[in-house]
Amino acid sequence: MTPTRKPTVTIAPGVEMPLLGFGTWEATGEDALAALEAGYRHIDTATMYRNEDQVGRALRESGIARNDVFVTTKLPAGNAGRERETLEASLEALGLECVDLWLIHWPPDGDASPAVWERFVEIAEEGLTRAIGVSNYDAGQIDEITEATGVAPAVNQIPWSPVLYDPAVVAAHRARGVALEGYSPFKTSDLGDPVLTEIAERHGVTTRQVVLRWHIDHEFVVIPKSSDPARIAANFDVFGFSLDAAELVRIDALGL
Ligand SMILES: NC(=O)c1ccc[n+]([C@@H]2O[C@H](COP(=O)([O-])OP(=O)(O)OC[C@H]3O[C@@H](n4cnc5c(N)ncnc54)[C@H](OP(=O)(O)O)[C@@H]3O)[C@@H](O)[C@H]2O)c1
């Protein structure tokens, strides 16, 4: 098979992020290794998932060159004030000198926390992470940390799927130059929806594959999780078809 370059989005400061990644909440190192073997080159972990050491082992066992895989981890909100030691512990567990993306997992105490973001900016300048971002932030919170530091987050990771689609949320991210990364694409979807089913049948794929392709065709990053090797592979097998404009509009309408 000819190796194909999988689609990426360029995030600040000029880092290429694969649009399809492997989520590791409740996943093991074996699952991460299966994902790497299936072709994923983007792994999403977090301090809170307590599997960074397993992900690190999978990265080494895969034999994939460091620069060929994109690794995200996240600061637990409760570790605000201990940013550096938390990232250093993540790097130690992962066996990496730097991650590609480091996120504030949730707004600490529900607050945008510009002081935490200021330390993210400093630590990124030191090279411990190539890009920095947030998760579960709203547009107002993104503005607050951007105004405080002059640096916007590269990414905001939020729950996302066709039923959660909201053009105002998309526009708010695009206007700020923040890449929209979706999580829980399946858990938040109605996978039996007739529109998804009809489109899936037309392409000879599953409704899950349609949901993933909908993200990719919109340039939303998506990080499905599975602990089953066949399902891990099926979730990566979405590069043999694409959705046309009319199909995207019909799927978008599920969230309107
Ligand atoms: N930033 C945040 O606050 C946050 C919050 C939640 C999640 N996340 C990230 O987003 C990732 C994905 O979200 P998620 O894990 O919540 O949910 P998800 O990816 O939407 O769904 C995972 C569930 O779907 C099942 N599944 C996956 N592929 C399947 C397939 N092809 N056929 C049948 N069932 C399938 C999995 O079961 P099996 O494992 O048995 O296949 C699992 O129960 C997480 O792993 C994590 O990395 C981030």
Side-chain angles (χ1 to χ4, degrees):
M1 199 172 87
T2 319
T4 44
R5 195 173 150 65
K6 303 303 182 204
T8 60
V9 59
T10 307
I11 60 166
V15 173
E16 292 295 308
M17 179 176 194
L19 285 172
L20 179 60
F22 182 67
T24 68
W25 166 237
E26 295 182 319
T28 64
E30 251 176 63
D31 304 331
L33 183 58
L36 292 164
E37 286 171 347
Y40 294 74
R41 291 294 178 270
H42 166 185
I43 308 272
D44 180 84
T45 182
T47 297
M48 222 185 77
Y49 302 169
R50 298 182 185 281
N51 61 9
E52 289 170 310
D53 54 339
Q54 296 185 51
V55 168
R57 247 193 327 273
L59 289 168
R60 286 190 295 283
E61 274 175 41
S62 74
I64 296 166
R66 172 65 188 95
N67 289 341
D68 291 341
V69 57
F70 185 102
V71 180
T72 300
T73 194
K74 315 185 191 80
L75 175 87
N79 285 32
R82 287 178 287 134
E83 294 81 7
R84 178 181 304 277
E85 60 206 86
T86 306
L87 181 56
E88 282 171 355
S90 290
L91 293 173
E92 168 89 27
L94 287 162
L96 299 178
E97 304 216 321
C98 79
V99 286
D100 298 280
L101 178 63
W102 187 35
L103 305 177
I104 304 177
H105 206 146
W106 288 87
D109 295 322
D111 191 276
S113 306
V116 174
W117 186 243
E118 210 167 296
R119 287 188 285 274
F120 264 54
V121 171
E122 284 165 15
I123 291 169
E125 279 166 4
E126 292 166 28
L128 298 186
T129 179
R130 294 172 71 212
I132 47 176
V134 293
S135 179
N136 301 301
Y137 271 55
D138 64 30
Q141 291 169 323
I142 289 174
D143 287 342
E144 194 180 330
I145 60 172
T146 305
E147 281 158 22
T149 58
V151 179
V155 168
N156 187 24
Q157 187 182 110
I158 55 174
W160 198 244
S161 67
V163 287
L164 298 178
Y165 177 74
D166 179 345
V169 171
V170 177
H173 284 80
R174 298 227 157 117
R176 290 163 177 79
V178 179
L180 195 164
E181 176 173 19
Y183 70 70
S184 303
F186 303 145
K187 286 181 184 167
T188 62
S189 284
D190 173 3
L191 295 159
D193 179 274
V195 170
L196 294 180
T197 304
E198 186 204 311
I199 293 173
E201 280 170 5
R202 190 183 306 155
H203 290 280
V205 299
T206 66
T207 53
R208 283 188 180 79
Q209 288 168 320
V210 169
V211 166
L212 296 174
R213 193 67 224 189
W214 172 83
H215 284 78
I216 293 165
D217 286 330
H218 268 306
E219 288 212 327
F220 304 136
V221 180
V222 63
I223 47 171
K225 173 267 172 187
S226 175
S227 289
D228 176 85
R231 296 198 282 270
I232 290 169
N235 296 343
F236 194 73
D237 185 15
V238 293
F239 299 105
F241 75 106
S242 65
L243 302 171
D244 65 26
E247 290 170 328
L248 286 175
V249 167
R250 288 184 70 202
I251 300 171
D252 293 353
L254 300 177
L256 302 177

